[in-house]
Amino acid sequence: MADKKITALTSLGTATAREDLLHLVDDPSGTPINKKVTIGEMENALRAPVINPDAALTVTEALHGGRMVFQTNVSADRIITLPTPKAGLTFRFASYNLTAADGHDVQFQISGGGTGLFFQGGLTHLDTNADNVGVFTDNNSNDFLNVKVPAHYDITFVGHSATLYLVTGTVTSATVPTFTDAAD
């Protein structure tokens, strides 16, 4: 078979399967080496969950992007700082290893918030006191989300543009979560 440029190869399109191979260059900024990976291996590696210990967290695209981030039980209020939004950049956060409603808050903020970066969307608050409500952003400036004393949460942030994260999910607690401006 004659050599072909990658752009000249036939696309598999919707017939792509997990066992199909991709060509990749390992360590392109160091010592580049040609290697192969199956689509399944790549998907698994890029989707492996991240466990955050009882600590604040500065989220990065490289480590947390497209992955499920599980937050263990916290011994104090903890802030999770998201990077500047980017279209398609997605983060999903959920509580992990809680045995009861936590006694502390888990808070989400955008790095550089208050400078035109904000959340848009809402959460379903599943109230352990039985008065479930929807909680929404103001759609123009909220860059801080306070999940108050959660029993559980599952929240997804999806970058819509360079200034906006869309947010959706659920929070189970006795106290309604709040969206505010970081300076509030």
Side-chain angles (χ1 to χ4, degrees), residues 4-81:
K4 285 188 177 183
K5 291 183 178 181
I6 291 176
T7 55
L9 297 174
T10 303
S11 172
L12 280 175
T14 58
T16 301
R18 288 183 62 86
E19 66 272 6
D20 291 337
L21 294 176
L22 298 173
H23 170 257
L24 78 118
V25 179
D26 186 22
D27 196 16
S29 59
T31 306
I33 299 172
N34 288 315
K35 293 191 177 177
K36 67 179 180 178
V37 65
T38 68
I39 290 175
E41 290 168 337
M42 183 186 73
E43 284 284 324
N44 294 345
L46 296 177
R47 306 261 186 282
V50 177
I51 306 293
N52 189 48
D54 181 6
L57 176 64
T58 298
V59 176
T60 66
E61 179 178 358
L63 179 59
H64 305 97
R67 293 181 167 181
M68 184 90 172
V69 180
F70 288 97
Q71 176 63 57
T72 61
N73 193 41
V74 296
S75 61
D77 292 356
R78 299 294 184 213
I79 294 180
I80 297 173
T81 304

Side-chain angles (χ1 to χ4, degrees), residues 121-123 133-139 142 178-179:
L123 300 170
V133 296
V135 180
F136 304 96
T137 66
D138 68 2
N139 292 324
N142 292 157
T178 57
F179 286 100

